[in-house]
Amino acid sequence: MLKQNIYILGIESSCDDTAASIIQNGKILSNIVASQKIHEAYGGVVPELASRAHQQNIVPVVYQALEKAKITKDQLHAIAFTRGPGLMGSLLVGASFAKSFAYGLGIPLIDVNHMQAHILAHFIDEEGFNKPPFPFLAMTISGGHTQIVKVNNYFDMEVIGETIDDAVGEAFDKSGKILGLGYPAGPIIDKFAKLGNSKAFQFTKPKVAGLNFSFSGLKTAILYFVQNETKKNPDFIQENLNDICASIQYTIIGILIDKLKLATKQTGIKHIAIGGGVSANSGIRQALKDGEQKFGWTTYVPKFEFTTDNAAMIAIVGYLKYLEGDFAKKDVMASARLKI
Ligand code: KG4
Ligand code: ZN
């Protein structure tokens, strides 16, 4: 029997990237992201500027996605969009566009939870990447999120741990700001850390019960440490940058791995899937590999373009929901604090 080709357009606009992607069944045909450079000058995302840039980018990005996929809008079966969580002004741009486009084309609209999408990105058909078996643990680590989720099935997920303050990417970015590095600082710290001694300086890990995380205390500890040392030696940062970065990265990775160890112990699940921009970190990747050897874990890291904020992950959720006939109501609203 010939399998019908289902084409879904995914739209993501929850933070500072305007993204559109076309999926054909489980396979991505195009994955376009317009990153907003404007925020670099501010050292963080400015919500008002983000919504304006989404407004400007959304139509060209969707057209590029269709063009790259070599399909026309009339071939689409449904439109999936990020309903939340995220910045309200940014979400509204994607939601309004998706509603109008779906209504105009007379096809179903599918609302997607951004945090579920980070996890379900593992189910995109991609050569060389295995899909985790249910149940598995998912750890989403990015500039906006830090969560450990027990994934029983595609849409049966339980958050078992999350940050009570900063996200892990923020911990990298804020540490970088203290050190006078650019934004986002995560990749820069990663680069210097490779050249440094991770045991050169010790930072205490926060004591947070259970599987929750906290990173704001670490940021303050780093700030006081740097202020103290530069008082004694104004060139302290320049002279020790590699070692400082290596020590910060080592501490952050230690916090993540400790929680993963506890999560595997509590749940008995040893399949661990990682997502979010921080999963690009070379130290995390190494620590996960070590975990396979030391603790018998099986770890899954998606292709890089599906880990940072992207619309391919929205499109795969759209496809999975389309198969179940799970469509959005006509009056669906964006939701800044949408939970898993
Ligand atoms: O997923 P993402 O692109 O956007 C969201 O925040 O949703 O993640 C961006 C975050 C930033 O905080 C950035 O500093 C961090 O991911 N990041 C890294 C690395 N690459 C990106 N952090 C540590 N090491 C990296 N190699
Ligand atoms: Zn995200």
Side-chain angles (χ1 to χ4, degrees), residues 14-17 114 118 141-145 168-173 183-191 249 275-282 284 304 307-309:
S14 66
C15 189
D16 61 340
D17 294 308
H114 180 94
H118 267 299
I141 42 177
S142 76
H145 342 280
V168 62
E170 263 179 297
F172 275 103
D173 294 338
Y183 173 84
I188 308 173
I189 292 182
D190 191 4
K191 192 178 87 189
Q249 183 163 305
V278 181
S279 56
N281 184 272
S282 59
I284 299 269
F304 179 67
T307 62
T308 53
D309 281 353

Side-chain angles (χ1 to χ4, degrees), residues 113-128:
N113 180 313
H114 180 94
M115 299 309 294
Q116 287 192 340
H118 267 299
I119 296 169
L120 296 174
H122 287 272
F123 293 91
I124 292 172
D125 289 339
E126 188 64 40
E127 228 176 272

Side-chain angles (χ1 to χ4, degrees), residues 92-324:
L92 283 174
V93 176
S96 305
F97 177 86
K99 277 186 166 192
S100 320
F101 204 24
Y103 186 65
L105 291 169
I107 56 175
L109 179 70
I110 298 171
D111 56 309
V112 174
N113 180 313
H114 180 94
M115 299 309 294
Q116 287 192 340
H118 267 299
I119 296 169
L120 296 174
H122 287 272
F123 293 91
I124 292 172
D125 289 339
E126 188 64 40
E127 228 176 272
F129 290 83
N130 295 328
K131 295 170 183 161
F134 298 114
F136 64 91
L137 295 175
M139 185 168 76
T140 306
I141 42 177
S142 76
H145 342 280
T146 307
Q147 273 191 345
I148 302 181
V149 179
K150 180 168 173 268
V151 186
N152 303 315
N153 212 324
Y154 295 121
F155 298 104
D156 177 4
M157 303 183 181
E158 273 167 79
V159 178
I160 56 174
E162 62 190 332
T163 184
I164 56 170
D165 41 56
D166 292 348
V168 62
E170 263 179 297
F172 275 103
D173 294 338
K174 288 181 177 173
S175 305
K177 201 167 182 178
I178 295 168
L179 298 173
L181 305 176
Y183 173 84
I188 308 173
I189 292 182
D190 191 4
K191 192 178 87 189
F192 290 129
K194 284 184 191 143
L195 308 168
N197 170 10
S198 60
K199 309 272 169 58
F201 307 106
Q202 256 96 51
F203 300 106
T204 16
K205 288 192 215 158
K207 288 184 184 57
V208 189
L211 294 171
N212 282 343
F213 300 88
S214 165
F215 290 101
S216 72
L218 177 64
K219 170 197 66 193
T220 313
I222 292 167
L223 175 67
Y224 289 156
F225 166 75
V226 169
Q227 281 177 343
N228 236 341
E229 294 297 327
T230 27
K231 245 184 242 156
K232 291 184 261 169
N233 170 12
D235 296 328
F236 176 75
I237 296 180
Q238 284 105 301
E239 288 171 9
N240 298 279
L241 190 56
N242 295 340
D243 287 348
I244 302 170
C245 287
S247 303
I248 292 173
Q249 183 163 305
Y250 178 79
T251 311
I252 294 176
I253 294 171
I255 296 169
L256 297 175
I257 296 295
D258 282 354
K259 294 292 177 176
L260 275 181
K261 274 161 67 179
L262 185 60
T264 54
K265 199 170 145 204
Q266 282 186 4
T267 59
I269 299 170
K270 290 191 169 187
H271 288 271
I272 301 170
I274 307 294
V278 181
S279 56
N281 184 272
S282 59
I284 299 269
R285 286 172 176 247
Q286 188 55 49
L288 291 170
K289 276 214 186 80
D290 295 346
E292 297 203 339
Q293 301 294 323
K294 281 198 254 174
F295 316 122
W297 296 349
T298 310
T299 63
Y300 305 80
V301 186
K303 198 174 170 192
F304 179 67
E305 64 181 281
F306 304 145
T307 62
T308 53
D309 281 353
N310 67 87
M313 67 184 195
I314 306 304
I316 183 70
V317 180
Y319 176 61
L320 294 168
K321 283 191 156 189
Y322 184 87
L323 295 179
E324 294 187 4

